[in-house]
Amino acid sequence: MSKIVVTGGLGFIGSHTVVELQNQGFEVVVIDNLSNSSIGVLDGIERITGKKPIFSAIDLREKLAVQSFFMEHNDVAGVIHFAASKAVGESVKNPLLYYENNLGALVYILQELEKKKEAHFIFSSSCTVYGQAEVMPIAETTPIQPALSPYGNTKQIGEEIISDVVKVSAINAILLRYFNPIGAHPSGEIGELPIGVPQNLVPFITQAGMGLRAELSVYGNDYPTVDGTCVRDYIHVVDLAKAHVIALQRLLDKKNAEPLEIFNLGTGTGSSVLEVIAAFEKVSGQKLPYKIVERREGDVTSAYANTDKANTVLGWKTVSTLEEAMDSAWKWEQKIRTSPEFAS
Ligand code: WQD
């Protein structure tokens, strides 16, 4: 049974990926410093799969800790690297936190994998590297735009670091550029656990639906889109997690065409903010209180994926609809607000 390390494995996308890896028979070791996640997620994973992953709370910014981890786990077949700070606004206020955390950790992990005769690396990247792409849908060949935030820059630089390293090592890598992950596991055992006021649309909507937020502020309705609100590609987190296992297996089976491959992961469909609100109202049966306010700095008008490459080369495509994803997010929100274990 291949041993796979998942960094940030107690986070939103990481935890759902751990479940899918275990479902496929992998032995999973989670690294998470709990700076933006909860140890209770380990129990949620175990309740779904019956297997509790090995857990290490090392901080990936500690080079010696990373070295000793990989000495202890010298039989690691691959790494899926999620661990990173990811709040766009925070990155503008505190860029060095982002460069140290997101790039320091990446370098230390790659230094350990570089020592191996063979290593497989999946990198959690982002559609933010495309900035405001000229043409929709966005393909992997769409030109990279200058990053709009230090967070986005760490993703761009991270991709460049990996690209340089695969040329001079036995590391094979796949960059997965996500669009907008939403939703929760259908079991209701794991989901998104934003800390404080959610910056992202869907958790804010579900919290407003529970009355935790007075109303949603819709950031602008004067964009050149179907209804004036921004368009994004909202992908169910379980569909996204499954893509990680397929990409990893591709490397393990040596089916990758190049030492470095890139895939956009989305549904291929754009949805406006108002369409997301309508989907919530349909699945919840309740009206969502919202108001239109001014645009948010840094928002792009539209971003949705051309999924041809992931569909044909990876043999992966999303199966969940926007409404199904919203339904899972809503059920999760209701559960965490009524379960004593989540009482905050
Ligand atoms: C979506 C839309 C907002 C909140 C995120 C991540 C980014 C990357 C892509 C991973 C926008 C609008 C939001 C609110 C609103 N993922 N909105 N009111 O900005 O596309 O980026 O996904 O790397 O890191 O941040 O997602 O959910 O913040 O916004 O009107 O209270 O919803 O204007 O159009 P975004 P988001």
Side-chain angles (χ1 to χ4, degrees):
M1 182 195 310
S2 298
K3 180 186 278 188
I4 305 298
V5 173
V6 180
T7 73
L10 298 188
F12 176 37
I13 306 167
S15 56
H16 288 81
T17 302
V18 170
V19 165
E20 298 307 323
L21 284 166
Q22 290 187 324
N23 287 347
Q24 295 305 312
F26 288 100
E27 179 189 6
V28 179
V29 182
V30 168
I31 296 178
D32 200 305
N33 69 1
L34 302 174
S35 61
N36 190 25
S37 56
S38 154
I39 193 69
V41 172
L42 266 183
D43 299 325
I45 291 169
E46 187 178 16
R47 284 195 294 270
I48 297 170
T49 65
K51 289 170 275 189
K52 191 169 220 171
I54 301 166
F55 174 65
S56 168
I58 63 166
D59 189 322
L60 294 169
R61 291 170 295 189
E62 306 294 335
K63 183 171 184 173
L64 293 177
V66 175
Q67 288 175 331
S68 57
F69 175 91
F70 280 94
M71 274 191 279
E72 179 189 351
H73 297 282
N74 57 16
D75 53 346
V76 167
V79 174
I80 303 183
H81 183 47
F82 293 102
S85 302
K86 60 157 190 141
V88 173
E90 181 189 50
S91 78
V92 174
K93 297 190 189 86
N94 193 348
L96 287 177
L97 169 78
Y98 277 68
Y99 289 115
E100 183 195 38
N101 190 32
N102 294 7
L103 300 180
L106 174 64
V107 167
Y108 296 154
I109 292 166
L110 292 173
Q111 284 175 328
E112 296 312 305
L113 295 185
E114 193 182 33
K115 298 171 185 171
K116 293 176 169 297
K117 286 194 292 297
E118 180 183 295
H120 307 290
F121 188 71
I122 304 290
F123 181 64
S124 165
S125 191
S126 165
C127 64
T128 47
V129 302
Y130 298 112
Q132 177 52 77
E134 299 295 314
V135 177
M136 290 297 138
I138 299 172
E140 291 80 357
T141 51
T142 297
I144 301 296
Q145 304 268 357
L148 298 172
S149 69
Y151 161 76
N153 205 24
T154 65
K155 289 300 178 185
Q156 289 185 1
I157 299 170
E159 292 192 353
E160 288 165 13
I161 291 170
I162 296 161
S163 171
D164 288 341
V165 169
V166 299
K167 292 176 184 133
V168 293
S169 70
I171 298 172
N172 285 282
I174 291 180
L175 311 178
L176 298 177
R177 292 174 178 165
Y178 313 153
F179 283 69
N180 289 56
I182 63 168
H185 195 269
S187 67
E189 298 295 352
I190 56 175
E192 199 166 4
L193 287 169
I195 295 171
V197 179
Q199 299 305 301
N200 293 129
L201 178 65
V202 171
F204 196 104
I205 286 178
T206 55
Q207 287 191 15
M210 286 298 287
L212 294 172
R213 309 289 164 200
E215 63 180 351
L216 171 73
S217 296
V218 174
Y219 297 138
N221 69 346
D222 57 351
Y223 288 93
T225 64
V226 59
D227 57 24
T229 62
C230 292
V231 171
R232 295 288 184 276
D233 186 333
Y234 297 94
I235 174 174
H236 195 300
V237 64
V238 173
D239 283 333
L240 184 61
K242 289 186 162 121
H244 287 74
V245 182
I246 292 169
L248 175 73
Q249 196 63 60
R250 177 177 171 83
L251 293 180
L252 293 172
D253 295 345
K254 299 183 174 42
K255 288 186 176 158
N256 50 306
E258 305 289 338
L260 180 80
E261 293 185 319
I262 302 173
F263 295 95
N264 284 351
L265 297 182
T267 66
T269 302
S271 300
S272 74
V273 174
L274 294 182
E275 287 168 339
V276 174
I277 292 171
F280 171 76
E281 293 183 336
K282 184 169 180 190
V283 301
S284 66
Q286 60 185 63
K287 292 299 283 176
L288 184 83
Y290 71 88
K291 63 183 176 185
I292 306 292
V293 299
E294 64 284 352
R295 294 181 173 192
R296 179 173 68 175
E297 184 72 27
D299 272 341
V300 297
T301 301
S302 184
Y304 56 94
N306 175 329
T307 57
D308 291 348
K309 188 178 176 188
N311 299 157
T312 56
V313 176
L314 280 187
W316 166 89
K317 71 193 306 280
T318 54
V319 295
S320 295
T321 64
L322 175 64
E323 283 180 13
E324 286 163 344
M326 288 304 293
D327 186 48
S328 67
W330 177 230
K331 286 188 167 67
W332 169 248
E333 186 70 58
Q334 290 172 291
K335 166 158 185 189
I336 58 178
R337 301 306 164 196
T338 53
S339 302
E341 67 189 280
F342 290 101
S344 45

